[in-house]
Amino acid sequence: SNVMLLALLLLLAAGTYYCTLHWDGLMLHSATKDAAVNLNPVSTDGSRAVNMDAFTASAVPLVRAYIFSNYEAYAKSKLTFRDIKMALRQPLQMTYEELRQDKLSSVIEDAVDEITNSCDAGQLHVKKCISKIAARNG
């Protein structure tokens, strides 16, 4: 357990050094082209446990960024959970099948629900929605 925590901290430090994410308007960008950091290692057979805190910390901002970048489609109920999970694959270095695990799907659904509930399912202007979500999350 301590070894996994140390490995995660080292991975986070390396990820912070090699791949800095930042907001530019409504988009989340990487400082390096096509950079991705696997903060949530899961084996393809699902045998390695996911650190849910690390997954939540990395996935929730990505879900928000994807929705805010596609806000018009979101407001028209054109985005699906599959769309969101497909968009999360590369930055999280996880497969769609891994992201379909109940506990991981639940984190994604909660992030979407927060926007849905806070922003009247996309009826609130995107800039106001971003401000509202940011204010709620410090």
Side-chain angles (χ1 to χ4, degrees):
S1 180
N2 287 339
V3 173
M4 287 187 68
L5 180 59
L6 179 60
L8 179 62
L9 289 174
L10 289 173
L11 184 58
L12 286 170
T16 301
Y17 180 77
Y18 286 108
C19 179
T20 303
L21 298 174
H22 63 279
W23 281 100
D24 178 16
L26 301 177
M27 299 292 292
L28 188 67
H29 296 279
S30 170
T32 57
K33 185 177 180 187
D34 299 325
V37 177
N38 187 355
L39 300 176
N40 313 297
V42 180
S43 64
T44 54
D45 67 0
S47 63
R48 195 173 353 159
V50 175
N51 179 315
M52 291 305 295
D53 290 336
F55 178 80
T56 300
S58 55
V60 170
L62 292 169
V63 169
R64 291 177 185 150
Y66 182 77
I67 290 173
F68 294 149
S69 296
N70 296 281
Y71 198 73
E72 187 176 327
Y74 166 76
K76 293 178 181 178
S77 299
K78 301 283 184 180
L79 291 186
T80 65
F81 282 103
R82 179 176 179 79
D83 295 332
I84 295 168
K85 289 173 187 173
M86 294 297 283
L88 294 177
R89 291 176 312 145
Q90 183 179 359
L92 295 178
Q93 292 188 350
M94 299 177 81
T95 66
Y96 174 76
E97 290 73 25
E98 290 168 335
L99 291 168
R100 289 184 61 214
Q101 294 176 46
D102 288 343
K103 62 185 177 180
L104 303 182
S105 284
S106 178
V107 170
I108 295 165
E109 290 168 16
D110 288 349
V112 173
D113 287 347
E114 179 187 25
I115 294 172
T116 301
N117 295 331
S118 298
C119 303
D120 195 22
Q123 300 311 303
L124 188 64
H125 189 275
V126 65
K127 288 184 180 181
K128 288 183 179 180
C129 181
I130 290 170
S131 295
K132 193 170 187 179
I133 296 295
R136 286 184 61 158
N137 295 286

